[in-house]
Amino acid sequence: DPHSTYISKKSFQQVDENMKGSFSGVGIEFSIIRDTVVVVAAISGGPSYNLGIQAGDKIIEVDNVDVCYPSISNSDVVKKLRGEKGTFVDVKIFRPSISKLIDYRIKRNDIPLVSIDSKFMINESVGIIKINRFSATTFDEFNSSQSTAAISKDSDCVAFLRSTWAQSIASLDASFNSE
């Protein structure tokens, strides 16, 4: 089956964390650009966010070990930043607007993986809910989103499951406004 994937025992823990909807770590989303770990976002309410770590920050060291090298992988970084709740990790960050490295001591904590990116009414009768991943909490989040976005039982609801949804919303808005 081309839509099935074998998950090794080693990989299962990470998949299981994603499905449960939380993990313990520092609370950042990152990307590796060439040989550098770049913060894409600090997860709102997480330890890194609370300390002031920002999108665009470059992680240079983790626990006094250089993490800038060509063969660094996402799993290498995850292993260094995730860990038991309450334990600490020291990172050195380069921020382009500051001339020296910034030291952070981050206390790992539970990081929720929220399934719903956004929710709002596109007009008086149609609500939009953007789902970014599926986990054990998605159903409850979806139901909660309907009430917090004032999407009534009489309203239509569109659930976006794609990452390129902004263009779709613009098209959808245009189609509703033309009726």
Side-chain angles (χ1 to χ4, degrees):
D1 176 5
H3 302 289
S4 298
T5 304
Y6 171 76
I7 301 171
S8 68
K9 186 175 182 178
K10 184 178 178 183
S11 299
F12 181 74
Q13 182 180 358
Q14 185 174 358
V15 171
D16 191 44
E17 287 172 347
N18 289 338
M19 289 305 293
K20 285 180 181 174
S22 69
F23 63 92
S24 291
V26 299
I28 63 164
E29 294 177 14
F30 67 89
S31 185
I32 297 174
I33 301 174
R34 294 190 191 104
D35 63 350
T36 305
V37 180
V38 179
V39 176
V40 173
I43 297 171
S44 181
S48 294
Y49 179 88
N50 293 339
L51 288 173
I53 294 175
Q54 304 172 6
D57 285 350
K58 297 174 181 172
I59 300 175
I60 307 302
E61 289 183 9
V62 176
D63 286 334
N64 297 313
V65 176
D66 185 1
V67 293
C68 294
Y69 53 90
S71 63
I72 188 131
S73 69
N74 284 344
S75 61
D76 293 335
V77 177
V78 168
K79 286 176 193 171
K80 293 177 183 306
L81 297 178
R82 285 191 183 178
E84 191 174 328
K85 179 180 178 177
T87 60
F88 289 89
V89 61
D90 295 313
V91 298
K92 287 187 187 282
I93 287 182
F94 171 75
R95 184 172 295 151
S97 62
I98 298 175
S99 61
K100 62 179 186 156
L101 295 180
I102 306 167
D103 292 314
Y104 286 101
R105 183 166 180 78
I106 307 169
K107 185 176 183 180
R108 294 179 180 105
N109 204 346
D110 291 335
I111 309 299
L113 294 173
V114 180
S115 299
I116 307 296
D117 275 343
S118 59
K119 59 217 177 260
F120 56 91
M121 295 296 293
I122 195 165
N123 62 29
E124 291 181 11
S125 62
V126 178
I128 302 288
I129 297 177
K130 167 68 171 77
I131 300 171
N132 65 28
R133 71 174 51 99
F134 289 95
S135 71
T137 61
T138 303
F139 180 75
D140 291 335
E141 288 179 55
F142 185 87
N143 288 333
S144 174
S145 292
Q146 286 184 294
S147 61
T148 59
I151 300 172
S152 74
K153 293 183 188 226
D154 297 331
S155 299
D156 292 324
C157 180
V158 177
F160 279 94
L161 309 177
R162 298 182 59 161
S163 60
T164 57
W165 68 292
Q167 293 171 339
S168 302
I169 289 178
S171 311
L172 188 63
D173 186 42
S175 67
F176 281 113
N177 289 330
S178 66
E179 291 181 353

